[in-house]
Amino acid sequence: MNVVVIGAQWGDEGKGKIVDYLAGDAQIIVRFSGGANAGHTIVIGKEQYALHLIPSGVLYPDKMVVLGAGMVIDPVALFNELAMLRDRGIDTAGRVLISDRAHIVLPRYIRIDQERDHARKKPIGTTGRGIGITYSMKSDREGIRIADLSWKDKLDELDAEDREFLLPYIDRLRGMSIDLATYLMHRKNAQVLFEGAQGALLDLDLGTYPYVSSGMSCAAGAAVGGCVGPRRLDRILGVFKAYSTRVGNGPFPSEFRDDDGSGEGGGSERSLCAFIRETGREYGVTTGRPRRCGYLDLVALRYACLTNSIDSLVMTHLDVYDTLEEIKACVAYRIGNRVVENFPASIEDLDRAEPVLRGFPGWKRPLSGALTYEELPLEAMEYIEFIERFCETPIDMISVGYDRKETIIRKSPWAR
């Protein structure tokens, strides 16, 4: 059975924890897109792990993890991450594989990325990791893949700087590479978990272009980057937070409007932003940048469900709202004199959009001890069930804390 996990917002939804949790019932975990610009945080007891390239399931000692064909891989970041895991007692020997179709991030791509974004009149706000440049080189058919490390003529075409950089890594990368399509074909009966990076609203085609990532962060990317046909994807899960966040520039209709990015000040929305940012630890795993915060955008979430055929949603960070008297969510946009209920492609419209908000009573008690859905307060259930009705998609998993065990399962995604 093949299960896909994607972000249903602008990334940072808590996918790492959810993939780590679901990996307990999987044999193989395949990361299908992105690069070292992603950051997945996993908390197990008192231990916290920050992963960027390696699939989140690596923390289980008996799981195979694969960096898929849709990924762009920085060798320095990859081997630093492997060393970090080894130093913390995680044995990865023979368990981390790479699709031979994945592309390689070269140091000059990182320089170009940083220079290009800095020179833009309206910067995208990239992580500066060379991800977009690598995907651009891939589209221009000028990139280099893992498979090409065995192709002498291709290596001879590279600049001396690039060849010198790759030389220490060639044998190590080739030793980890596999034909992913064949590998999975021979394991048709395995339970495979496909892990996405970023979020559906950052997808190159479906997201808020041009303020998007350069890869396929939509569910369809699991088929392409995971080297399987789309009919072999059995279930698609979309992870979202009980509120919304975004890193970098780009439209964010439900953003707290008087937030200046500092989390300080006297406005009511600014105070709420500061509270959510600190309580929810809303700082980038990769960059450390404070995340922009706002009300849950149900218009955008419903759009993500529609365009990704999301079978069920996974709600995270619900416990961040434990102490609030009232919770609000965006149910439509007001753009000029129009009320808009669908997610527009126009960046101008999204920039002008004001959120139409609906209020919900808070529950004023901690959720972290809840083990079943029935143990949640009635007010939390009402918030959850409104979201389900609005998006016409069930919420089958709810995270009420950072730890692996603080997860409520209403329906297992592995159930046929």
Side-chain angles (χ1 to χ4, degrees), residues 47-363:
E47 294 292 320
Q48 180 169 308
Y49 301 85
L51 300 175
H52 302 276
L53 279 167
I54 299 173
S56 302
V58 74
L59 300 180
Y60 291 89
D62 59 337
K63 311 299 179 184
M64 298 298 297
V65 300
V66 186
L67 283 69
M71 289 190 65
V72 292
I73 297 167
D74 179 344
V76 176
L78 173 63
F79 290 110
N80 283 345
E81 200 163 305
L82 287 169
M84 176 274 292
L85 290 169
R86 184 180 62 246
D87 292 345
R88 297 186 63 178
I90 307 297
D91 182 9
T92 63
R95 295 197 298 116
V96 181
L97 306 174
I98 307 174
S99 168
D100 55 9
R101 297 177 184 274
H103 278 246
I104 297 171
V105 180
L106 297 172
R108 63 186 173 91
Y109 296 173
I110 297 173
R111 294 198 301 272
I112 295 168
D113 187 9
Q114 294 170 354
E115 292 166 1
R116 184 173 294 180
D117 203 49
H118 181 72
R120 284 188 173 103
K121 291 182 178 178
K122 293 183 178 180
I124 303 297
T126 76
T127 60
R129 294 297 192 96
I131 307 305
I133 301 302
T134 310
Y135 278 118
S136 177
M137 298 295 281
K138 174 181 177 178
S139 297
D140 286 343
R141 290 153 290 184
E142 296 290 342
I144 181 165
R145 305 171 303 162
I146 299 294
D148 300 333
L149 296 176
S150 300
W151 184 9
K152 184 179 182 301
D153 288 350
K154 180 66 176 179
L155 293 176
D156 288 344
E157 291 175 5
L158 297 175
D159 295 342
E161 175 193 357
D162 296 338
R163 288 198 303 272
E164 185 177 346
F165 167 75
L166 286 171
L167 194 59
Y169 299 109
I170 289 176
D171 289 341
R172 297 171 75 182
L173 290 170
R174 286 169 55 185
M176 298 166 70
S177 73
I178 59 167
D179 174 349
L180 180 54
T182 302
Y183 180 84
L184 293 179
M185 180 186 71
H186 290 311
R187 293 159 179 82
K188 286 182 179 178
N189 295 324
Q191 298 209 139
V192 183
L193 190 60
F194 291 88
E195 173 184 6
Q198 285 82 49
L201 300 178
L202 292 176
D203 182 78
L204 186 60
D205 292 297
L206 300 177
T208 51
Y209 185 90
Y211 300 97
V212 292
S213 187
S214 299
M216 293 182 71
S217 51
C218 61
V224 178
C227 295
V228 297
R231 292 184 188 174
R232 289 190 54 202
L233 303 179
D234 297 295
R235 189 153 296 152
I236 296 167
L237 277 62
V239 184
F240 76 103
K241 281 189 283 210
Y243 47 90
S244 298
T245 63
R246 180 164 193 164
V247 172
N249 298 328
F252 187 1
S254 67
E255 184 172 14
F256 300 134
R257 293 297 179 176
D258 58 351
D259 173 35
D260 62 4
S262 69
E264 300 174 354
S268 60
E269 287 195 345
R270 186 171 298 169
S271 299
L272 182 56
C273 180
F275 169 79
I276 286 177
R277 186 176 286 147
E278 296 307 316
T279 307
R281 307 180 196 177
E282 296 299 346
Y283 296 87
V285 178
T286 301
T287 63
R289 287 184 293 183
R291 295 175 183 142
R292 298 158 63 190
C293 299
Y295 303 107
L296 174 61
D297 188 336
L298 290 174
V299 179
L301 183 61
R302 180 171 58 191
Y303 168 79
C305 291
L306 288 171
T307 53
N308 290 274
S309 295
I310 291 175
D311 295 296
S312 66
L313 289 164
V314 180
M315 186 183 214
T316 65
H317 291 238
L318 184 60
D319 54 299
V320 171
Y321 277 154
D322 282 353
T323 61
L324 298 188
E325 294 282 354
E326 184 184 35
I327 296 156
K328 294 179 181 178
C330 170
V331 296
Y333 305 143
R334 186 171 286 106
I335 303 174
N337 59 1
R338 297 178 295 139
V339 173
V340 176
E341 296 182 345
N342 298 320
F343 192 73
S346 167
I347 298 302
E348 183 179 30
D349 280 351
L350 287 170
D351 278 338
R352 294 170 54 217
E354 295 289 336
V356 177
L357 300 175
R358 170 167 174 157
F360 302 84
W363 41 90

